[in-house]
Structures are given as C-alpha cells and as structure tokens.
Amino acid sequence: MIVTYSMNVFIPLTRTCRNNCHYCGFRINDGKVMGEDEVENLLKRASSATEALFTFGERADEFGKVRDWLRGMGFDSMIDYTVHLNKLAVEHGLLPHTNAGVLSRSELKKLKEWNASIGLMLEQAVELECHKESPGKNPEVRIKTIKDAGRLEIPFTTGILIGIGESRDDRYYSIEVIADLAENYDHIQEVIIQNFSPKKGTPMECWKAPGIAELLDAIEYAKKALPDDVVIQIPPNLIENLKACLDAGARDIGGISEVTPDYINPEHPWPSLKKIEKSLNGEYTFRERLPIHPKYVRMGWYSERIAHLIERYADKEGYRCSK
C-alpha cells in the first residue's frame, strides 16, 4: 500500500485572526506580519522541500495594525501580499499551497494562478459552541468557499476536526457534506481527519482529547463515504498509533518540514520520515508527492505560472520524481 507525504516549509504570515475559536493556540492578534525578507529566508532554507505552505489568520486585514502595515508596504489586502509571496516562492523553486480561511471567488481566482492547491478545513458542518465568536466558522460560509474552489477547478484540501464538542453523528454528517462536494466538483484531493489537541491558555485547555477509537471510527466512515480517489490524510505528529490509522484507510500523512515546526500544534514536533517508516515495519510504501496530488497533476489542473515546476518535479504518475 502506498502512503504519500510532501516536504514543505511552513510560513505563518500573521497570527492575527478575526475568529476566536475556543481551542486555538495560534491566534495572538498582535498585528504583526512576516516581512518579505523573513519569508525569503525560510524559502532559501527549504532545500529539500517542494511545497511552501502559506497560512495566516482569517481576514487579518480587518484589523487596523495589519491593514496599515500592508498599505505601508504597497499592498491593498492580505491576499494581494500573499500572492506576491507566492510568486517569490515560485522564483525559489517551491510550489505554494495557501490556507487563508474563508475566501471570495475573486480571491480564489487570484490565488489559483500561483498556487498548486488551496486549503480550508470545514472542521464541522454544524454550528458549535466553540465557534460562537468565530464568524468565519459558519458552516455555510465555509462550504461556499469550497464550492467556489470547485467551480474554479482548484485542487483542494479540506477536512474535519474531531473532539471540539460535536457528536458522532455530526462527524458523519460533516464527512457526508465533504463527500457530496467531492462528487459534484471533483476537486477535493484530500480530506484531513484531525484530532483536537488541547492548548494551554485557551477556554478548552482542560478538555479531553479524543481517543484513538474515535479517530479510527471517523477514518473508517470517511473511507466508506468519500469517493475512492479522495485521499484521507492524518497528522503524524498528533497520532501515536499511526499504523492503526493507516490500516483503517488513511493514505497520506500530510506535509513534513525539516525547517519549521507545526505552528498550529507546536507542542507536537514533526516525526522524521525514517522514524515513521521504522514504526510501520515496512508494511507501507512511502512516496513523496507535491502539494498538488498525482490525480490533478495528470489532469493538468494547474496554471502556466507554475507548470515549469510541476514538470520539473513530477514523474509520469504525478508523484515526486526521484531526486
């Protein structure tokens, strides 16, 4: 069985965010934005990566400090600045993947030109107490972004976060919503099944993290509900029993960085690929992929702006070619 992964560099442009999710330890709202020099330094250090993962708080430019900084640098919005940095990543030989929260159709079109794929976690397709101060976590708003990405033929990553106050039926329903989107638009390349990890200093710091049984149950249901060519991804730094998750149907372990930590879950460092392979006793074959999955490489779902990099990195099957 093949299990895929990508080598990336994690670039958190700002931790300012309009949402105030009760489990989030990423949001700081200090108004700071990474400068171009800082971003370029990370890009230069990512010698073994093919993916530049850009992420930041949703609608950060609604805050005056961020907006003023952007204008001082000559940018009208956070998305415009991100596109500028996407171009910089391409110049350094990296394929961008951007997670920017809820996006409009016009913003998606801007990003499509310079991104190999785009992501937005659905998290849950039902309203939850932990999202009551988070307008961008309204399920209808997030589903609209995912639909718009499908209409624009953007290879897309989404997923659910389990253990944040939802019921088992809620998880199943959320997976069914994603399955329906995948069947209708054929653009969802991977679905992340991610377990909630409590963060100190947050309203949910004392909540119990979901156990392996709940995680496996969600993976098994996703395997049944999703189209066969939609890959189920699990975060290897948040899961102790990786083999059980792969046996249940997961086939991707996401992006791994040798340069940057997981800024969303910094208390859980990335395991090395060698450590992961050793723990599985050779039962699974690992293959590196790009931020655009092999199916969409073969379909040609990418712009001319990044075609030269995909042609450089991808083999005939769409995986990362031998180095």
Side-chain angles (χ1 to χ4, degrees):
M1 289 288 187
I2 293 174
V3 176
T4 52
Y5 68 96
S6 69
M7 297 301 296
N8 72 15
V9 56
F10 197 134
I11 305 171
L13 295 181
T14 180
R15 297 173 75 161
T16 298
C17 182
R18 71 167 176 171
N19 297 321
N20 185 20
C21 303
H22 293 180
Y23 49 79
C24 180
F26 179 78
R27 177 180 183 264
I28 294 178
N29 278 18
D30 56 7
K32 293 181 179 178
V33 183
M34 289 180 71
E36 183 175 335
D37 290 347
E38 189 176 358
V39 172
E40 187 164 31
N41 180 55
L42 287 176
L43 295 172
K44 288 178 178 178
R45 290 171 57 200
S47 58
S48 64
T50 58
E51 174 183 355
L53 170 58
F54 291 92
T55 189
F56 49 93
E58 185 175 284
R59 299 294 178 205
D61 48 16
E62 290 183 0
F63 294 81
K65 191 172 181 180
V66 173
R67 190 165 56 248
D68 291 344
W69 186 91
L70 289 168
R71 288 175 178 170
M73 299 298 292
F75 298 98
D76 292 330
S77 69
M78 196 67 201
I79 295 301
D80 288 343
Y81 181 52
T82 302
V83 170
H84 172 73
L85 296 175
N86 290 160
K87 294 176 184 178
L88 183 65
V90 171
E91 289 175 9
H92 282 273
L94 292 164
L95 290 162
H97 170 94
T98 296
N99 290 333
V102 169
L103 295 165
S104 68
R105 186 183 176 92
S106 62
E107 290 170 331
L108 285 165
K109 286 182 73 174
K110 286 183 180 180
L111 290 167
K112 178 183 177 179
E113 287 298 299
W114 294 96
N115 278 264
S117 56
I118 293 174
L120 175 69
M121 290 286 282
L122 175 59
E123 296 198 3
Q124 291 293 331
V126 296
E127 295 187 5
L128 297 172
E129 180 68 17
C130 62
H131 290 150
K132 67 179 182 179
E133 300 174 76
S134 303
K137 295 301 174 74
N138 180 305
E140 291 183 6
V141 173
R142 296 178 90 75
I143 290 168
K144 182 180 184 303
T145 294
I146 300 172
K147 284 182 177 180
D148 284 341
R151 295 185 182 106
L152 292 169
E153 296 187 345
I154 297 171
F156 207 81
T157 295
T158 189
I160 65 169
L161 182 59
I162 70 171
I164 55 174
E166 82 290 347
S167 67
R168 186 188 191 199
D169 286 343
D170 292 337
R171 293 173 194 164
Y172 285 7
Y173 173 63
S174 300
I175 291 168
E176 289 165 4
V177 167
I178 294 173
D180 185 63
L181 290 165
E183 288 166 358
N184 278 284
Y185 299 100
D186 197 28
H187 70 308
I188 294 179
Q189 58 179 7
E190 60 187 0
V191 173
I192 304 169
I193 308 294
Q194 182 169 328
N195 46 319
F196 155 71
S197 177
K199 303 288 184 294
K200 290 183 178 180
T202 67
M204 292 173 66
E205 67 175 331
C206 295
W207 276 49
K208 184 180 178 182
I212 187 66
E214 293 174 276
L215 189 63
L216 294 176
D217 181 67
I219 293 170
E220 289 167 357
Y221 190 77
K223 181 65 177 175
K224 294 176 184 176
L226 294 169
D228 290 341
D229 58 359
V230 175
V231 179
I232 298 171
Q233 181 187 125
I234 50 173
N237 59 323
L238 300 182
I239 298 168
E240 290 186 11
N241 195 340
L242 194 62
K243 183 179 183 302
C245 295
L246 296 177
D247 290 345
R251 290 293 178 268
D252 189 271
I253 57 171
I256 298 174
S257 177
E258 296 177 345
V259 177
T260 48
D262 178 353
Y263 287 97
I264 309 300
N265 298 284
E267 71 278 15
H268 296 286
W270 301 116
S272 69
L273 188 61
K274 286 183 179 180
K275 182 178 179 180
I276 293 172
E277 289 178 315
K278 185 177 180 180
S279 71
L280 298 172
N281 297 315
E283 292 186 39
Y284 290 91
T285 300
F286 284 83
R287 293 194 68 176
E288 186 178 351
R289 60 167 174 82
L290 309 180
I292 175 174
H293 277 245
K295 170 185 172 179
Y296 298 96
V297 173
R298 297 192 299 268
M299 289 171 63
W301 273 32
Y302 48 85
S303 76
E304 293 182 3
R305 307 283 193 180
I306 60 173
H308 65 290
L309 291 181
I310 292 176
E311 290 165 4
R312 181 197 304 176
Y313 294 135
D315 63 17
K316 292 180 179 180
E317 295 177 275
Y319 294 98
R320 173 76 159 96
C321 62
S322 299
K323 301 172 186 177

